[in-house]
């Protein structure tokens, strides 16, 4: 069994109310995000690949377009723009691009990340 991970970056702004960070969190502020989408499988004997990365890249391009240089609070399907909801949102958007096992979203400048493994059974 193999896992194949594709990462991408985007820049976005948000505001979060009700945290212990107070005003610095409530004001509109931006972050550089790095997301990773991981798929699991066995390489196809004909291609030698777990999946055609072009399919995954198409999904990622659409996600990046929806998130990059956007105010995340305005993306209704995202909900409150937390790392948790970003990882879930990306998971939902990338479905159909192979056997997705996890999506991680990182804010490297803050030393924070969150990984979503899909809905509980």
């Amino acid at each position: 069994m193999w896992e194949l991970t594709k990462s991408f970056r985007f820049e976005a702004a948000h505001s979060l109310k009700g945290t212990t960070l107070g005003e610095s969190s409530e004001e509109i502020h931006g972050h550089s995000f790095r997301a990773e989408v991981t798929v699991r499988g066995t390489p196809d004997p004909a291609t030698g690949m777990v999946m055609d990365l072009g399919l995954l890249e198409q999904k990622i391009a659409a996600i990046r377009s929806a998130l990059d240089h956007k105010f995340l609070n305005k993306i209704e399907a995202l909900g409150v723009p937390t790392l948790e909801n970003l990882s879930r949102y990306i998971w939902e958007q990338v479905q159909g691009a192979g056997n997705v096992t996890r999506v991680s979203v990182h804010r490297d400048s803050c030393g924070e990340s969150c990984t979503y493994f899909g809905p509980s059974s």
Side-chain angles (χ1 to χ4, degrees), residues 29-86:
H29 60 282
H31 296 283
S32 296
F33 294 93
R34 178 174 49 91
E36 297 175 336
V37 177
T38 301
V39 295
R40 178 180 288 172
T42 303
D44 181 293
T47 65
M49 297 183 291
V50 170
M51 71 169 304
D52 180 343
L53 282 176
L55 297 173
L56 187 55
E57 287 178 7
Q58 289 172 5
K59 293 276 191 177
I60 287 173
I63 295 165
R64 186 183 295 118
S65 177
L67 298 175
D68 193 37
H69 289 88
K70 301 293 192 289
F71 182 50
L72 299 177
N73 295 65
K74 291 185 174 183
I75 301 174
E76 191 171 317
L78 179 58
V80 178
T82 60
L83 286 173
E84 293 86 348
N85 284 336
L86 273 168

Side-chain angles (χ1 to χ4, degrees), residues 5 8-9 11 13 16-17 22 33 36 58 74 79 86 97 120:
T5 300
F8 65 99
R9 296 184 179 277
E11 310 289 328
L16 296 171
K17 299 196 182 309
F33 294 93
E36 297 175 336
Q58 289 172 5
K74 291 185 174 183
L86 273 168
S120 304

